[in-house]
Short mmCIF file of all heavy atoms in Angstrom, two decimals:
data_model
loop_
_atom_site.label_atom_id
_atom_site.label_comp_id
_atom_site.label_asym_id
_atom_site.label_seq_id
_atom_site.Cartn_x
_atom_site.Cartn_y
_atom_site.Cartn_z
N PHE D 10 56.36 64.33 4.44
CA PHE D 10 56.49 65.09 3.37
C PHE D 10 56.44 66.63 3.61
O PHE D 10 55.91 66.92 4.70
CB PHE D 10 55.42 64.81 2.21
CG PHE D 10 54.18 65.17 2.71
CD1 PHE D 10 53.54 66.33 2.17
CD2 PHE D 10 53.32 64.36 3.53
CE1 PHE D 10 52.31 66.82 2.67
CE2 PHE D 10 52.02 64.72 3.89
CZ PHE D 10 51.45 65.98 3.46
N LEU D 11 57.04 67.34 2.76
CA LEU D 11 57.06 68.83 3.09
C LEU D 11 55.77 69.48 2.51
O LEU D 11 55.51 69.36 1.31
CB LEU D 11 58.39 69.47 2.43
CG LEU D 11 59.60 68.99 3.02
CD1 LEU D 11 60.83 69.56 2.24
CD2 LEU D 11 59.70 69.13 4.49
N VAL D 12 55.01 70.04 3.31
CA VAL D 12 53.68 70.55 3.03
C VAL D 12 53.84 71.85 2.06
O VAL D 12 54.61 72.72 2.34
CB VAL D 12 52.75 70.98 4.18
CG1 VAL D 12 51.52 71.66 3.78
CG2 VAL D 12 52.65 69.79 5.11
N SER D 13 53.19 71.72 0.87
CA SER D 13 53.39 72.84 -0.07
C SER D 13 52.59 73.94 0.38
O SER D 13 51.69 73.92 0.99
CB SER D 13 53.01 72.30 -1.46
OG SER D 13 51.70 71.77 -1.46
N PRO D 14 52.88 75.17 -0.21
CA PRO D 14 52.25 76.41 0.21
C PRO D 14 50.69 76.39 0.00
O PRO D 14 49.97 76.87 0.91
CB PRO D 14 52.90 77.47 -0.77
CG PRO D 14 54.29 76.87 -0.96
CD PRO D 14 54.05 75.39 -1.12
N THR D 15 50.17 75.99 -1.09
CA THR D 15 48.78 76.08 -1.37
C THR D 15 47.98 75.07 -0.43
O THR D 15 47.07 75.47 0.13
CB THR D 15 48.46 75.71 -2.92
OG1 THR D 15 49.14 76.65 -3.71
CG2 THR D 15 46.94 75.72 -3.10
N ILE D 16 48.63 73.91 -0.20
CA ILE D 16 47.99 72.99 0.67
C ILE D 16 47.96 73.52 2.06
O ILE D 16 47.06 73.27 2.91
CB ILE D 16 48.64 71.56 0.54
CG1 ILE D 16 48.65 71.06 -0.88
CG2 ILE D 16 48.09 70.62 1.44
CD1 ILE D 16 47.31 70.96 -1.51
N ALA D 17 49.11 74.10 2.52
CA ALA D 17 49.14 74.61 3.81
C ALA D 17 48.05 75.72 4.06
O ALA D 17 47.52 75.78 5.16
CB ALA D 17 50.64 75.40 4.09
N ARG D 18 47.84 76.51 3.11
CA ARG D 18 46.75 77.59 3.24
C ARG D 18 45.39 76.86 3.30
O ARG D 18 44.58 77.39 4.17
CB ARG D 18 46.88 78.53 2.02
CG ARG D 18 45.73 79.58 2.00
CD ARG D 18 46.05 80.60 0.92
NE ARG D 18 45.88 80.07 -0.37
CZ ARG D 18 44.61 79.90 -0.99
NH1 ARG D 18 43.58 80.32 -0.54
NH2 ARG D 18 44.69 79.35 -2.21
N LEU D 19 45.10 75.94 2.52
CA LEU D 19 43.81 75.30 2.48
C LEU D 19 43.68 74.52 3.81
O LEU D 19 42.67 74.24 4.45
CB LEU D 19 43.67 74.36 1.37
CG LEU D 19 43.61 75.07 0.02
CD1 LEU D 19 43.60 74.08 -1.19
CD2 LEU D 19 42.46 76.06 -0.10
N TRP D 20 44.85 73.89 4.35
CA TRP D 20 44.81 73.18 5.49
C TRP D 20 44.35 73.99 6.75
O TRP D 20 43.61 73.66 7.59
CB TRP D 20 46.29 72.58 5.74
CG TRP D 20 46.41 71.42 6.63
CD1 TRP D 20 45.74 71.05 7.89
CD2 TRP D 20 47.12 70.21 6.31
NE1 TRP D 20 46.18 69.93 8.31
CE2 TRP D 20 47.12 69.31 7.42
CE3 TRP D 20 48.08 69.92 5.41
CZ2 TRP D 20 47.75 68.11 7.49
CZ3 TRP D 20 48.71 68.68 5.40
CH2 TRP D 20 48.59 67.82 6.42
N ALA D 21 44.96 75.12 6.77
CA ALA D 21 44.66 76.19 7.92
C ALA D 21 43.18 76.55 7.77
O ALA D 21 42.47 76.67 8.91
CB ALA D 21 45.52 77.41 7.79
N LEU D 22 42.54 76.81 6.63
CA LEU D 22 41.25 77.09 6.53
C LEU D 22 40.31 75.96 6.89
O LEU D 22 39.39 76.12 7.74
CB LEU D 22 40.94 77.54 5.10
CG LEU D 22 41.55 78.72 4.53
CD1 LEU D 22 41.24 78.90 3.03
CD2 LEU D 22 40.90 79.97 5.29
N GLY D 23 40.76 74.72 6.63
CA GLY D 23 39.90 73.54 7.00
C GLY D 23 39.94 73.25 8.53
O GLY D 23 39.05 73.01 9.06
N GLY D 24 41.17 73.48 9.08
CA GLY D 24 41.38 73.32 10.46
C GLY D 24 40.46 74.31 11.23
O GLY D 24 39.93 73.88 12.36
N ALA D 25 40.40 75.54 10.83
CA ALA D 25 39.62 76.49 11.48
C ALA D 25 38.10 76.05 11.45
O ALA D 25 37.39 76.32 12.54
CB ALA D 25 39.80 77.82 10.87
N ARG D 26 37.63 75.46 10.39
CA ARG D 26 36.24 75.10 10.31
C ARG D 26 35.85 73.83 10.88
O ARG D 26 34.74 73.62 11.47
CB ARG D 26 35.81 75.18 8.71
CG ARG D 26 34.42 75.01 8.48
CD ARG D 26 34.08 75.17 6.95
NE ARG D 26 34.53 74.10 6.24
CZ ARG D 26 33.82 73.00 5.89
NH1 ARG D 26 32.63 72.92 6.56
NH2 ARG D 26 34.30 71.96 5.24
N LEU D 27 36.80 72.86 10.87
CA LEU D 27 36.52 71.56 11.16
C LEU D 27 37.24 70.99 12.48
O LEU D 27 37.13 69.76 12.74
CB LEU D 27 36.75 70.62 9.99
CG LEU D 27 35.93 70.93 8.77
CD1 LEU D 27 36.48 70.18 7.53
CD2 LEU D 27 34.39 70.53 8.93
N GLY D 28 38.06 71.75 13.05
CA GLY D 28 38.86 71.23 14.06
C GLY D 28 38.34 70.58 15.27
O GLY D 28 38.99 69.82 15.98
N LYS D 29 36.98 70.82 15.47
CA LYS D 29 36.25 70.14 16.60
C LYS D 29 35.50 68.93 16.24
O LYS D 29 34.84 68.25 16.96
CB LYS D 29 35.40 71.20 17.22
CG LYS D 29 36.06 72.38 17.85
CD LYS D 29 35.15 73.21 18.64
CE LYS D 29 35.97 74.43 19.35
NZ LYS D 29 35.00 75.30 20.10
N GLN D 30 35.63 68.54 14.95
CA GLN D 30 34.97 67.27 14.45
C GLN D 30 35.76 66.17 15.06
O GLN D 30 36.96 66.14 15.34
CB GLN D 30 34.81 67.16 12.99
CG GLN D 30 33.86 68.21 12.29
CD GLN D 30 32.50 67.90 12.72
OE1 GLN D 30 32.06 66.75 12.95
NE2 GLN D 30 31.67 68.94 12.71
N PRO D 31 35.13 65.07 15.25
CA PRO D 31 35.69 63.77 15.78
C PRO D 31 37.02 63.42 15.14
O PRO D 31 37.01 63.23 13.94
CB PRO D 31 34.70 62.64 15.68
CG PRO D 31 33.33 63.45 15.71
CD PRO D 31 33.65 64.69 14.97
N GLY D 32 38.09 63.37 15.85
CA GLY D 32 39.36 62.88 15.37
C GLY D 32 40.20 63.86 14.57
O GLY D 32 41.43 63.60 14.28
N PHE D 33 39.65 64.93 14.23
CA PHE D 33 40.30 65.82 13.27
C PHE D 33 41.68 66.46 13.86
O PHE D 33 42.69 66.34 13.32
CB PHE D 33 39.49 67.00 12.79
CG PHE D 33 40.08 67.87 11.77
CD1 PHE D 33 39.63 67.50 10.26
CD2 PHE D 33 40.89 68.94 11.93
CE1 PHE D 33 40.31 68.29 9.31
CE2 PHE D 33 41.37 69.58 10.91
CZ PHE D 33 41.11 69.32 9.64
N ALA D 34 41.55 67.00 15.05
CA ALA D 34 42.69 67.74 15.56
C ALA D 34 43.80 66.66 15.93
O ALA D 34 45.00 66.96 15.69
CB ALA D 34 42.23 68.36 16.91
N ASN D 35 43.46 65.40 16.34
CA ASN D 35 44.42 64.49 16.64
C ASN D 35 45.26 64.17 15.53
O ASN D 35 46.41 63.89 15.59
CB ASN D 35 43.82 63.26 17.35
CG ASN D 35 43.28 63.50 18.66
OD1 ASN D 35 43.66 64.54 19.39
ND2 ASN D 35 42.49 62.65 19.18
N HIS D 36 44.64 64.07 14.44
CA HIS D 36 45.39 63.72 13.21
C HIS D 36 45.85 64.73 12.27
O HIS D 36 46.93 64.59 11.62
CB HIS D 36 44.42 62.80 12.29
CG HIS D 36 44.17 61.41 12.88
ND1 HIS D 36 44.99 60.29 12.58
CD2 HIS D 36 43.17 61.00 13.75
CE1 HIS D 36 44.56 59.28 13.26
NE2 HIS D 36 43.49 59.64 13.96
N PHE D 37 45.16 65.96 12.21
CA PHE D 37 45.69 66.95 11.27
C PHE D 37 46.13 68.25 11.86
O PHE D 37 46.40 69.16 11.05
CB PHE D 37 44.51 67.14 10.24
CG PHE D 37 44.24 66.07 9.34
CD1 PHE D 37 43.13 65.30 9.35
CD2 PHE D 37 45.19 65.71 8.37
CE1 PHE D 37 42.83 64.17 8.47
CE2 PHE D 37 45.09 64.63 7.54
CZ PHE D 37 43.88 63.86 7.57
N LEU D 38 46.08 68.42 13.16
CA LEU D 38 46.48 69.64 13.76
C LEU D 38 47.54 69.35 14.79
O LEU D 38 47.41 69.43 16.04
CB LEU D 38 45.40 70.35 14.47
CG LEU D 38 44.17 70.75 13.49
CD1 LEU D 38 42.97 71.39 14.30
CD2 LEU D 38 44.72 71.56 12.31
N PRO D 39 48.79 69.06 14.30
CA PRO D 39 49.92 68.64 15.31
C PRO D 39 50.13 70.00 16.05
O PRO D 39 50.24 71.04 15.38
CB PRO D 39 51.06 68.37 14.33
CG PRO D 39 50.72 68.97 12.98
CD PRO D 39 49.27 68.91 12.86
N CYS D 40 50.40 69.84 17.27
CA CYS D 40 50.69 70.97 18.29
C CYS D 40 49.54 71.99 18.26
O CYS D 40 49.69 73.18 18.49
CB CYS D 40 51.91 71.67 17.92
SG CYS D 40 53.39 70.52 17.98
N GLY D 41 48.26 71.50 17.81
CA GLY D 41 47.19 72.51 17.82
C GLY D 41 46.84 73.24 16.61
O GLY D 41 46.04 74.14 16.75
N LYS D 42 47.75 73.19 15.65
CA LYS D 42 47.49 74.00 14.43
C LYS D 42 47.92 73.39 13.16
O LYS D 42 48.69 72.32 13.19
CB LYS D 42 48.37 75.39 14.59
CG LYS D 42 49.80 75.12 14.81
CD LYS D 42 50.62 76.48 15.02
CE LYS D 42 52.03 76.30 15.10
NZ LYS D 42 52.74 77.56 15.37
N ALA D 43 47.41 73.85 12.05
CA ALA D 43 47.79 73.29 10.72
C ALA D 43 49.37 73.43 10.47
O ALA D 43 49.85 74.46 10.98
CB ALA D 43 46.99 73.97 9.66
N PRO D 44 49.91 72.58 9.70
CA PRO D 44 51.33 72.75 9.45
C PRO D 44 51.49 73.87 8.46
O PRO D 44 50.77 74.28 7.65
CB PRO D 44 51.67 71.39 8.71
CG PRO D 44 50.30 70.81 8.26
CD PRO D 44 49.30 71.38 9.17
N LEU D 45 52.87 74.49 8.55
CA LEU D 45 53.12 75.73 7.76
C LEU D 45 53.83 75.15 6.52
O LEU D 45 54.16 73.99 6.30
CB LEU D 45 54.15 76.55 8.52
CG LEU D 45 53.57 76.99 9.94
CD1 LEU D 45 54.77 77.74 10.61
CD2 LEU D 45 52.46 78.04 9.69
N PRO D 46 53.83 76.03 5.46
CA PRO D 46 54.45 75.73 4.20
C PRO D 46 56.02 75.28 4.54
O PRO D 46 56.70 75.87 5.27
CB PRO D 46 54.60 77.04 3.48
CG PRO D 46 53.39 77.73 3.93
CD PRO D 46 53.30 77.36 5.41
N GLY D 47 56.34 74.18 3.96
CA GLY D 47 57.55 73.55 4.09
C GLY D 47 57.85 72.70 5.38
O GLY D 47 58.86 72.06 5.61
N GLN D 48 56.80 72.66 6.18
CA GLN D 48 56.84 71.87 7.42
C GLN D 48 56.70 70.39 7.03
O GLN D 48 55.90 70.02 6.27
CB GLN D 48 55.75 72.34 8.41
CG GLN D 48 55.81 71.56 9.75
CD GLN D 48 54.86 72.25 10.77
OE1 GLN D 48 54.43 73.25 10.59
NE2 GLN D 48 54.54 71.36 11.74
N LEU D 49 57.52 69.51 7.75
CA LEU D 49 57.44 68.12 7.61
C LEU D 49 56.19 67.54 8.28
O LEU D 49 55.98 67.83 9.46
CB LEU D 49 58.76 67.35 8.14
CG LEU D 49 58.80 65.88 7.82
CD1 LEU D 49 59.06 65.66 6.23
CD2 LEU D 49 60.01 65.25 8.65
N PHE D 50 55.36 66.77 7.54
CA PHE D 50 54.23 66.23 8.28
C PHE D 50 54.13 64.69 8.08
O PHE D 50 54.34 64.20 6.96
CB PHE D 50 52.95 66.77 7.54
CG PHE D 50 51.64 66.22 8.20
CD1 PHE D 50 51.16 66.78 9.42
CD2 PHE D 50 50.96 65.26 7.62
CE1 PHE D 50 50.08 66.29 10.12
CE2 PHE D 50 49.75 64.73 8.16
CZ PHE D 50 49.29 65.24 9.45
#
């Protein structure tokens, strides 16, 4: 699905805070970062 702008912003904030928790980066940070608005996830 195409990530919407508000969700993309919250995703980036969550990734910065929780990226080192078990399993988080592997599932929610493709290529090491949160998806951008309009990016297919």
Side-chain angles (χ1 to χ4, degrees):
F10 66 96
L11 301 179
V12 177
S13 56
T15 301
I16 302 306
R18 178 172 64 85
L19 296 173
W20 204 315
L22 292 172
R26 188 172 71 88
L27 299 167
K29 294 185 178 180
Q30 289 296 329
F33 189 93
N35 287 346
H36 286 270
F37 289 116
L38 300 179
C40 303
K42 60 182 181 180
L45 298 173
Q48 183 174 338
L49 186 72
F50 181 80

